[in-house]
Amino acid sequence: MVIKTIRDILEEHPAFKSFDDDALDLISGCGTNEHFAAGSMILREGDDASKVHILRKGDAAIEIAAPGTGPLIVETLHAGDVVDWSWLVPPRRAMSDARAVTEVSAISLDANCVLGKCDEHPNLGYQMFKLWLPHLAERVRNGRMQLLDLYGANAG
Amino acid sequence: MRDSAEPHTAIADPMLPIAMRVSEAWRELDDVVSLRLVTKDGAPFAFAPGQFNMLYAFGVGEAAISISGDPARTGELLHTIRDVGAVSGALTRLKAGDEVGVRGPFGSSWPVDSEHDRHLLFVAGGLGLAPLRPAIYRALATRHRFASITLIMGARSPRDLLYPYQLAGWTASHALRLNITVDHAGPEWTGSVGVVTTEFARALAGIDPAKVSAYLCGPEIMMRFGAMGLADMGVSTERMWLSMERSMKCAIGLCGHCQFGPDFVCKDGPVFRHDEIARRLTLKEI
Ligand SMILES: Cc1cc2nc3c(=O)[nH]c(=O)nc-3n(C[C@H](O)[C@H](O)[C@H](O)COP(=O)(O)OP(=O)(O)OC[C@H]3O[C@@H](n4cnc5c(N)ncnc54)[C@H](O)[C@@H]3O)c2cc1C
Ligand code: FES
């Protein structure tokens, strides 16, 4: 059996597919493999956003606790998705819970390591920006659609 | 059913409702009811998938309501109605044995009969599964003609999913591939949460987008962004159809109530090919 390195995994992953070799070498040094059992928490609201989780297998739910009704799932994520963006934005604190819905395999990148390497190698930061911004923009757009309550009784 | 009865397909006077009997009425969701209607003389009522009837709640008024049953079952009409106002409210309060006036069937249909070897993709949002269901029945009845059949279903929450018993049946029998996504859910929900477009990549994984025919029905914004998302993935805009809604009165292209640019939704629609209306979908004043 061939054991894949973090670099091999990243190279095959859609979130890193257009990274050049130098960028892949740099970012691989920040990554580890993580597994989460179905039902376990990947991230808790209020936690330091010290890791970037990128899903390889399985589904995760983004949940927000609502008083009186228990947690509400507002988004589900699948293989290829980046779990949370709080690690990029000061004060770098998780803004929601993320729970493994099924068994989940993820690559987790140490956020300080990634940001440090981006400071040293602005080209890495630019590649991340180009590849991940569309993903982020799509998530914002989808969130707006959900806000419209399209299927509500008063929707046309 | 009487063999001699004339089928109610081309109604002599399209402005004159025929009285039909509610043989069954049941609640689908808190504000949504389905009616099973039968003609009083037992004559069949043929329709094409995607067409609608004008249902007349006696003494209250008329509303355009899509036919949501199986086109092969011409002995009955199924309609699914959401209570949003006076007419729809009166229709949802009908009981077995009551009468309702019916004009129709009107309008264009999903072109499912002219599709061959295609991957059929149905995208339904909310109540949009009702007008699509006849096309799904027809596709399933002629399953061998299609490369695959997929339904992506979007709803507000799991408890707002229309026809859950039917979705469960289709899944259990592997009749079609089903992707359900909701806008929000409680922690017990193990399905997807997100807008319908987020399901496209997984629903079409391994499928050549050039071989996809997509039928979309639901809120107009969902159809607009849905069609855009499919086009971005390579599905031809000439292979996508949408069912439009506009307020209606005559339903036969005379009064102009349902005008949609140069078309009347009642006569030229409700099912339109996407490339023919794409520009109009983004115009605010239409
Ligand atoms: C081709 C076609 C097919 C249709 N098929 C169905 C169907 O299968 N089932 C069904 O329930 N309805 C369907 N409709 C919509 C239905 O015709 C209207 O909901 C109905 O006419 C409303 O009449 P009303 O007198 O009850 O409400 P109105 O008094 O006319 O309206 C009451 C309130 O509801 C809002 N409203 C009107 N229409 C809708 C709507 N479609 N959705 C949400 N809010 C609305 C109005 O803006 C108003 O605020 C269809 C419409 C068309 C054009
Ligand atoms: S409803 Fe009268 S023209 Fe369409």
Side-chain angles (χ1 to χ4, degrees):
Chain A
M1 192 175 89
V2 182
I3 296 181
K4 287 191 177 174
T5 63
I6 294 284
R7 195 189 187 290
D8 295 335
I9 295 168
L10 291 181
E11 200 173 357
E12 289 167 7
H13 196 282
F16 297 89
K17 65 173 186 287
S18 65
F19 276 32
D20 63 26
D21 281 349
D22 289 346
L24 275 174
D25 288 340
L26 283 169
I27 209 158
S28 304
C30 300
T32 48
N33 268 314
E34 276 198 75
H35 298 279
F36 298 91
S40 64
M41 299 308 286
I42 300 174
L43 205 68
R44 279 183 198 282
E45 183 183 317
D47 280 357
D48 275 349
S50 56
K51 287 181 186 174
V52 191
H53 294 98
I54 298 143
L55 298 186
R56 288 179 57 209
K57 280 188 207 140
D59 302 326
I62 301 294
E63 296 179 344
I64 295 185
T69 61
L72 207 60
I73 304 176
V74 292
E75 187 179 22
T76 42
L77 303 173
H78 313 281
D81 287 330
V82 179
V83 173
D84 190 55
W85 301 91
S86 312
W87 63 281
L88 268 175
V89 190
R92 293 169 55 195
R93 188 181 307 127
M95 296 301 289
S96 45
D97 292 338
R99 190 173 48 84
V101 177
T102 59
E103 198 173 321
V104 162
S105 301
I107 299 163
S108 71
L109 301 174
D110 181 292
N112 281 329
C113 172
V114 174
L115 293 170
K117 291 202 173 170
C118 288
D119 283 341
E120 284 169 37
H121 305 274
N123 182 42
L124 173 64
Y126 183 56
Q127 290 194 48
M128 273 173 47
F129 167 83
K130 276 201 300 187
L131 199 62
W132 292 5
L133 189 67
H135 188 83
L136 187 55
E138 191 188 335
R139 300 260 291 270
V140 172
R141 203 166 54 225
N142 292 343
R144 276 193 201 136
M145 291 287 156
Q146 280 167 273
L147 273 181
L148 285 175
D149 193 18
L150 283 182
Y151 311 117
N154 295 318
Chain B
M1 187 184 295
R2 273 181 9 206
D3 285 334
S4 57
E6 283 294 308
H8 290 282
T9 43
I11 291 170
D13 182 350
M15 290 304 287
L16 198 67
I18 57 162
M20 289 183 79
R21 191 172 53 80
V22 177
S23 68
E24 200 183 346
W26 64 98
R27 192 155 292 280
E28 303 277 8
L29 304 171
D30 286 349
D31 55 351
V32 177
V33 163
S34 284
L35 301 177
R36 190 187 307 280
L37 309 180
V38 289
T39 53
K40 296 208 314 186
D41 58 5
F45 194 110
F47 67 94
Q51 288 193 300
F52 67 96
N53 284 322
M54 294 299 287
L55 297 192
Y56 179 42
F58 292 115
V60 186
E62 262 190 331
I65 304 291
S66 302
I67 307 171
S68 58
D70 185 346
R73 300 181 63 148
T74 54
E76 64 178 33
L77 275 177
L78 286 191
H79 285 289
T80 296
I81 304 141
R82 168 170 277 156
D83 176 1
V84 297
V87 179
S88 52
L91 291 169
T92 58
R93 287 188 290 277
L94 290 173
K95 299 273 172 292
D98 288 346
E99 285 193 2
V100 61
V102 178
R103 291 194 292 128
F106 297 120
S108 58
S109 54
W110 304 107
V112 65
D113 289 342
S114 54
E115 304 270 22
H116 292 280
D117 302 326
R118 309 279 303 168
H119 293 278
L120 287 192
L121 173 66
F122 296 96
V123 183
L127 228 57
L129 184 55
L132 274 176
R133 192 168 63 167
I136 298 175
Y137 281 131
R138 178 63 64 79
L140 293 176
T142 52
R143 181 72 187 73
H144 60 279
R145 295 198 299 116
F146 307 108
S148 68
I149 305 177
T150 303
L151 168 63
I152 299 179
M153 175 78 200
R156 195 183 199 194
S157 73
R159 63 188 291 270
D160 295 307
L161 279 166
L162 188 62
Y163 312 140
Y165 47 89
Q166 184 114 56
L167 299 174
W170 283 334
T171 309
S173 64
H174 304 287
L176 44 70
R177 302 195 309 184
L178 178 64
N179 289 51
I180 298 179
T181 184
V182 297
D183 274 352
H184 50 78
E188 68 291 344
W189 175 247
T190 53
S192 288
V193 175
V195 292
V196 289
T197 48
T198 56
E199 293 298 304
F200 289 170
R202 276 172 311 128
L204 296 184
I207 289 180
D208 177 0
K211 297 204 172 118
V212 171
S213 293
Y215 299 169
L216 297 91
C217 190
E220 202 168 311
I221 302 180
M222 181 214 88
M223 292 194 288
R224 193 167 91 217
F225 283 94
M228 223 185 280
L230 290 173
D232 289 344
M233 292 180 70
V235 178
S236 165
T237 179
E238 292 168 20
R239 290 299 201 151
M240 287 188 238
W241 286 266
L242 279 58
S243 182
M244 300 298 295
E245 277 192 19
R246 285 296 179 271
S247 134
M248 286 191 186
K249 207 134 194 114
C250 72
I252 52 171
L254 292 179
C255 72
H257 255 76
C258 65
Q259 185 141 17
F260 175 50
D263 295 315
F264 291 139
V265 171
C266 66
K267 178 169 72 69
D268 307 306
V271 177
F272 290 94
R273 212 173 71 185
H274 180 249
D275 59 319
E276 287 163 359
I277 58 165
R279 261 185 51 75
R280 265 179 271 165
L281 288 174
T282 58
L283 298 179
K284 291 177 184 60
E285 63 273 22
I286 290 192

